[in-house]
Amino acid sequence: SQQGEEDPQALSIQEGENATMNCSYKTSINNLQWYRQNSGRGLVHLILIRSNEREKHSGRLRVTLDTSKKSSSLLITASRAADTASYFCATGGTSGTYKYIFGTGTRLKVLA
Amino acid sequence: DTAVSQTPKYLVTQMGNDKSIKCEQNLGHDTMYWYKQDSKKFLKIMFSYNNKELIINETVPNRFSPKSPDKAHLNLHINSLELGDSAVYFCASSDYDQETQYFGPGTRLLVL
């Protein structure tokens, strides 16, 4: 079965609020990435966190990784209407593999 | 100056036809991928090429045949199209570390 599963499947918040999305996976990973997909577009890489890291920041994004629980979270602070998109986690296997498994995605809607 | 481009953007065709989708990247990357995204937004890897060599070949019907004439191009040919092939097909590329992936805009295939 698929590696990553996001939770919730859909999230609707008001502009200015924070949005938190979670990703769970099943096997050991080398790194975990988050991508954003705007409607009708390709995926855009947001942030990568390695298996030996616990937290990473990039602008309004904060990603955590708990390898003992095989889970990660993506926090978007002070959300904007432009953040409306689907967010996917992708898990990379052990070194040397070219294969990333994408989760099912969280559809975020930020209301102005 | 699109980094990863795909043609065509839309493809509507009849069952049984043969069609091709082309992908080009101008990022100088070594690795290219084909993904299929179904109507539920689930993104699944199909193939990956590294330096023109096939390195990932997932459980995909042999009606799908990728071809990499050079490092910058990865085309996907589909024979005898079926209704279930209707999806959005994304091409992506990544650098030597095979980490961050850069996606094309997608090709929306509809088989009637």
Side-chain angles (χ1 to χ4, degrees):
Chain A
S1 60
Q2 64 203 47
Q3 174 78 307
E5 294 192 11
E6 282 91 341
D7 168 58
Q9 289 187 0
L11 180 61
S12 187
I13 59 173
Q14 294 291 328
E15 208 166 26
E17 292 180 341
N18 295 342
T20 300
M21 290 157 260
N22 303 296
C23 169
S24 60
Y25 57 93
K26 294 190 172 79
T27 62
S28 297
I29 61 170
N30 187 38
N31 63 66
L32 184 145
Q33 303 179 46
W34 285 91
Y35 287 79
R36 183 187 75 231
Q37 183 181 31
N38 289 89
S39 181
R41 309 289 287 272
L43 281 75
V44 174
H45 180 260
L46 294 176
I47 195 166
L48 179 151
I49 187 166
R50 300 192 186 284
S51 58
N52 61 354
E53 296 176 311
R54 291 296 166 258
E55 188 171 313
K56 207 160 181 181
H57 297 253
S58 176
R60 293 185 296 113
L61 306 179
R62 173 178 166 250
V63 169
T64 62
L65 179 64
D66 187 336
T67 52
S68 66
K69 293 182 180 177
K70 292 187 169 57
S71 67
S72 173
S73 68
L74 171 67
L75 168 67
I76 305 174
T77 59
S79 63
R80 305 166 182 167
D83 294 328
T84 295
S86 291
Y87 292 82
F88 294 86
C89 67
T91 48
T94 52
S95 179
T97 181
Y98 300 80
K99 185 175 171 179
Y100 282 84
I101 307 295
F102 283 78
T104 50
T106 292
R107 286 171 291 288
L108 173 66
K109 189 169 186 179
V110 181
L111 304 169
Chain B
D1 289 12
T2 307
V4 182
S5 59
Q6 295 179 229
T7 54
K9 191 170 181 180
Y10 299 95
L11 188 51
V12 182
T13 187
Q14 298 288 328
M15 264 175 50
N17 284 350
D18 303 338
K19 290 292 178 186
S20 291
I21 307 172
K22 294 185 176 182
C23 177
E24 178 181 0
Q25 54 97 2
N26 62 7
L27 298 167
H29 288 167
D30 291 333
T31 309
M32 296 184 72
Y33 311 79
W34 276 111
Y35 288 88
K36 178 181 179 181
Q37 187 174 46
D38 63 22
S39 58
K40 294 183 179 178
K41 302 294 186 185
F42 177 46
L43 194 70
K44 185 174 168 54
I45 190 166
M46 300 172 69
F47 302 104
S48 178
Y49 271 73
N50 180 258
N51 279 317
K52 296 171 36 180
E53 181 185 344
L54 181 66
I55 51 171
I56 293 176
N57 185 353
E58 289 295 284
T59 309
V60 175
N62 57 15
R63 298 182 295 103
F64 290 80
S65 53
K67 279 194 173 56
S68 181
D70 56 58
K71 267 178 40 171
H73 296 85
L74 181 61
N75 304 323
L76 184 65
H77 188 76
I78 315 170
N79 288 328
S80 304
L81 278 155
E82 299 178 357
L83 295 176
D85 297 333
S86 295
V88 183
Y89 292 83
F90 287 100
C91 176
S93 72
S94 63
D95 207 343
Y96 66 94
D97 58 6
Q98 299 98 39
E99 291 187 338
T100 300
Q101 296 186 50
Y102 295 81
F103 282 78
T107 294
R108 283 140 192 85
L109 172 65
L110 178 60
V111 182
L112 303 174

